[in-house]
Amino acid sequence: MSKLKVYQYPKCGTCRNAVKWLQNEGHELELQNIFEQPPQKEELADLIAKSGLELKKFFNTSGEVYKEMNLKDKLSGLSDEEKIELLSSNGRLIKRPIVTDGSKVTVGFKAEQYQESWQK
């Protein structure tokens, strides 16, 4: 099986739970710190398309940066391209973890979703 790329933040409890779950399933992981190296615009657009989720689901709406920037009120006025630019410029705005094998993508961590997508 191919290596899974996991955009995560090591101090995030949800990320640690997701990584542990994936490792327990025997997956080989490529961990990428989402704060230090968020996905670039093109990759992020690809991840969004493959996830089947709305773009707004990629925003970490409970994060400090999201609240400080008052994005709840501002996002509706931005184009999708502007939203992707914003996300790719600041990994703290991105909901985590993001897991991909190159063809499918999951965002966040819910055991049921992981069982469906990543159980061996």
Side-chain angles (χ1 to χ4, degrees):
M1 181 169 241
S2 64
K3 187 183 285 192
L4 298 180
K5 186 170 191 176
V6 182
Y7 283 98
Q8 51 90 43
Y9 179 61
K11 293 182 181 178
C12 166
T14 303
C15 295
R16 287 193 309 267
N17 289 337
V19 167
K20 183 177 179 181
W21 192 97
L22 293 166
Q23 287 172 331
N24 286 342
E25 281 295 310
H27 290 286
E28 187 177 346
L29 306 178
E30 175 188 340
L31 302 178
Q32 185 153 339
N33 187 316
I34 201 165
F35 289 1
E36 294 174 4
Q37 288 185 292
Q40 296 303 302
K41 290 185 287 189
E42 299 79 20
E43 184 181 5
L44 191 55
D46 186 55
L47 291 169
I48 292 164
K50 288 177 179 171
S51 75
L53 298 171
E54 296 177 60
L55 176 53
K56 67 182 181 180
K57 297 287 187 184
F58 276 75
F59 279 89
N60 178 13
T61 57
S62 62
E64 292 175 23
V65 176
Y66 183 88
K67 291 174 184 171
E68 287 170 5
M69 293 177 73
N70 203 19
L71 289 176
K72 183 177 182 179
D73 298 327
K74 293 179 183 174
L75 277 183
S76 62
L78 299 177
S79 70
D80 284 356
E81 189 173 301
E82 289 171 318
K83 291 174 188 174
I84 290 171
E85 174 79 37
L86 189 60
L87 287 170
S88 68
S89 69
N90 190 334
R92 294 180 187 276
L93 290 173
I94 303 174
K95 185 174 178 85
R96 58 190 184 270
I98 298 173
V99 181
T100 185
D101 63 359
S103 63
K104 62 184 169 188
V105 176
T106 57
V107 179
F109 174 67
K110 291 185 178 158
E112 309 82 42
Q113 179 189 31
Y114 273 45
Q115 286 172 349
E116 187 178 307
S117 297
W118 307 117
Q119 193 165 42
K120 284 190 165 184

